Amino acid sequence: MQLLAVGLNHTTAPVSLREQLAFAPDQLGQAVMAARSWFERIDHRGSDEAAILSTCNRTELYAASTVPDPLDAGAHFLADFHKLNYAELRPHLYMLPQHDAVRHTFRVASGLDSMVLGETQILGQIKDAIRTADEAGGLGTYLHQLFQRSFSVAKEVRSTTEIGAHSVSMAAAAVRLSQRIFDKISEQNVLFIGAGEMIELCATHFAAQNPKSITIANRTLERGEVLAHRFGGRAIRLADLQDKLHQYDIVISCTASSLPLIGLGMVERAIKARRHKPMFMVDLAVPRDIEPEVARLNDAFLYTVDDLGKVVQTGIENRQAAVAQAEAIIETRVQSFMHWIDDRAVVPVIQHLQENGEALRQMELERARKMLAKGEDVDAVLEALSKGLTAKFMHGPQQALHRAQGEERAQLAELLPQMFRGRR
């Protein structure tokens, strides 16, 4: 069984490709089952494991498989599931074999591979992905152990280093960018589209600037109202965007929609109604909520999640010492996990030895019972039982030693006495 990780992220692929490879939340369970079936069609053993992590910054397939070339199989699965051209997708994929896959998993969980170094949101996203994979039957011994250990590593990194100190969040970056367009956010009307964790975080940062008004647009009005109430705002339905978009100076969107919610025509009409007053827009969704063509408009300033990523890199030099410390922790934990994998490899051998030993024991025990039933002396029966067990257990090693030659015989001669040393 080999562990692997195949995927792409914000460093290997632009948002235009990431959105094509993204999995919708309601699609993940089906995708996990499809990944398992994909591997099982190749090796027919039905023991493969799979989990999928899909966020605005990454899409990754984690798997444990016995197929001959699991990395290639995983990469082709991602392309096939999304009906993408494999040759065009391949240059953007990282394909990590066992040792590298374990290190990558620990780094992702610890926030070292994030656009915002040390951010904590990714850990919750991983836990959600693993819960979904488990419910879909994708987790087995290997992936379960891998992710449980990744959670422990992440906790250790965050509690013993300052990896998250001085970091600039995506939400804070959105505020910074908006201040390039509007001197005073306190004079602007802000619209948030969606009601998830990222929108809640952004709303918190913008609310601290005391904007003129805050509005939450959400597919479910009730959920939008709950979030709006926290910030003294109001809620509207997504269906109302068409008629009300022009009322807002700042628009932040992050939903799980598979199609854009705001098109070029809608923004053009809004800009016209605003008499060309600038509109600042941030699209944090992958796939995108706002059509990229909107960026061409003179009075619309559209930023994507990748644009904000460039802002959050500021101050990274101050965290290099924490990064080095975190990497050292991760490397130690990777080695520990690899020892666990090595131990797993000998489990079948141990089970086989135990089964053979039990079979030999039962054979000699039955022989002894028959001797006792015939009325033979108990001491003689015990003597025969002990000699019979000893002869049977020694037969295999003695035969192996006789058949071996050269270096193999020397190794056996050194190992066998240790095997039969026993306790006294």
Side-chain angles (χ1 to χ4, degrees), residues 338-395:
M338 295 309 297
H339 286 316
W340 177 83
I341 288 181
D342 290 341
D343 289 343
R344 289 289 305 173
V346 300
V347 167
V349 178
I350 294 173
Q351 290 176 334
H352 182 66
L353 286 172
Q354 289 175 335
E355 290 169 358
N356 281 351
E358 177 62 16
L360 294 176
R361 187 185 73 84
Q362 289 292 344
M363 188 183 304
E364 287 303 312
L365 185 60
E366 183 62 26
R367 181 179 168 219
R369 284 173 175 158
K370 289 179 179 179
M371 292 173 67
L372 289 172
K374 292 178 181 179
E376 295 190 26
D377 181 68
V378 173
D379 287 338
V381 172
L382 290 175
E383 184 74 13
L385 175 64
S386 64
K387 287 183 177 180
L389 283 172
T390 302
K392 282 183 168 57
F393 281 123
M394 294 299 297
H395 178 74

Side-chain angles (χ1 to χ4, degrees), residues 240-273:
D240 297 332
L241 284 178
Q242 184 78 27
D243 300 323
K244 298 184 177 181
L245 185 63
H246 68 279
Q247 299 175 7
Y248 304 102
D249 309 295
I250 297 173
V251 178
I252 313 293
S253 187
C254 186
T255 76
S257 175
S258 58
L259 296 172
L261 300 174
I262 298 177
L264 177 61
M266 186 189 299
V267 179
E268 284 178 325
R269 290 189 291 274
I271 292 293
K272 185 176 181 181

Side-chain angles (χ1 to χ4, degrees), residues 19-307:
E19 65 185 355
Q20 294 182 60
L21 205 67
F23 291 86
D26 59 359
Q27 193 182 33
L28 276 178
Q30 171 197 350
V32 167
M33 290 188 289
R36 286 198 66 201
S37 298
W38 181 271
F39 285 111
E40 289 167 8
R41 280 199 300 269
I42 299 174
D43 72 357
H44 307 292
R45 300 189 197 182
S47 59
D48 301 279
E49 306 173 26
I52 295 172
L53 174 64
S54 186
T55 73
C56 59
N57 289 330
R58 69 183 64 250
T59 293
E60 295 174 337
L61 167 67
Y62 296 88
S65 178
T66 56
V67 302
D69 190 353
L71 288 171
D72 188 64
H76 274 89
F77 164 76
L78 291 175
D80 182 81
F81 189 91
H82 291 286
K83 296 178 173 55
L84 298 175
N85 184 296
Y86 177 77
E88 295 177 2
L89 177 64
R90 178 63 188 89
H92 299 277
L93 293 176
Y94 38 83
M95 298 166 63
L96 306 174
Q98 189 147 284
H99 192 279
D100 295 332
V102 175
R103 180 185 295 106
H104 178 77
T105 306
F106 291 175
R107 295 187 79 254
V108 171
S110 301
L112 292 186
D113 196 61
S114 297
M115 185 177 286
V116 180
L117 184 64
E119 57 97 2
T120 58
Q121 186 181 13
I122 185 63
L123 192 58
Q125 292 169 329
I126 294 175
K127 289 181 178 179
D128 289 341
I130 297 313
R131 189 179 304 111
T132 300
D134 194 22
E135 292 171 354
L139 296 192
T141 302
Y142 285 85
L143 287 189
H144 177 78
Q145 187 70 211
L146 172 67
F147 286 106
Q148 288 304 313
R149 293 204 184 199
S150 74
F151 301 150
S152 297
V153 171
K155 182 178 179 180
E156 183 179 1
V157 167
R158 289 190 170 90
S159 62
T160 60
T161 76
E162 294 186 358
I163 192 65
H166 314 298
S167 65
V168 179
S169 70
M170 300 292 279
V175 173
R176 287 190 183 185
L177 285 175
S178 68
Q179 290 171 331
R180 296 180 184 178
I181 310 301
F182 303 109
D183 292 334
K184 296 181 178 180
I185 295 180
S186 59
E187 298 177 357
Q188 314 307 320
N189 297 304
V190 184
L191 171 67
F192 297 99
I193 303 175
E197 185 179 353
M198 180 57 77
I199 287 296
E200 183 177 353
L201 186 60
C202 287
T204 301
H205 278 73
F206 274 94
Q209 303 297 318
N210 297 310
K212 187 175 181 180
S213 71
I214 288 179
T215 302
I216 306 292
N218 195 51
R219 195 175 305 279
T220 304
L221 184 61
E222 291 75 14
R223 186 176 179 186
E225 288 175 337
V226 170
L227 186 58
H229 179 71
R230 283 187 52 192
F231 301 103
R234 67 190 185 97
I236 63 174
R237 299 181 188 278
L238 285 181
D240 297 332
L241 284 178
Q242 184 78 27
D243 300 323
K244 298 184 177 181
L245 185 63
H246 68 279
Q247 299 175 7
Y248 304 102
D249 309 295
I250 297 173
V251 178
I252 313 293
S253 187
C254 186
T255 76
S257 175
S258 58
L259 296 172
L261 300 174
I262 298 177
L264 177 61
M266 186 189 299
V267 179
E268 284 178 325
R269 290 189 291 274
I271 292 293
K272 185 176 181 181
R274 291 168 59 82
R275 297 183 179 180
H276 296 276
K277 181 184 177 182
M279 180 180 284
F280 172 79
M281 311 180 81
V282 176
D283 188 353
L284 294 172
V286 178
R288 284 173 284 189
D289 287 337
I290 304 173
E291 288 185 347
E293 291 78 10
V294 168
R296 301 174 188 168
L297 300 177
N298 291 330
D299 300 302
F301 297 86
L302 174 62
Y303 294 87
T304 67
V305 66
D306 286 354
D307 297 321

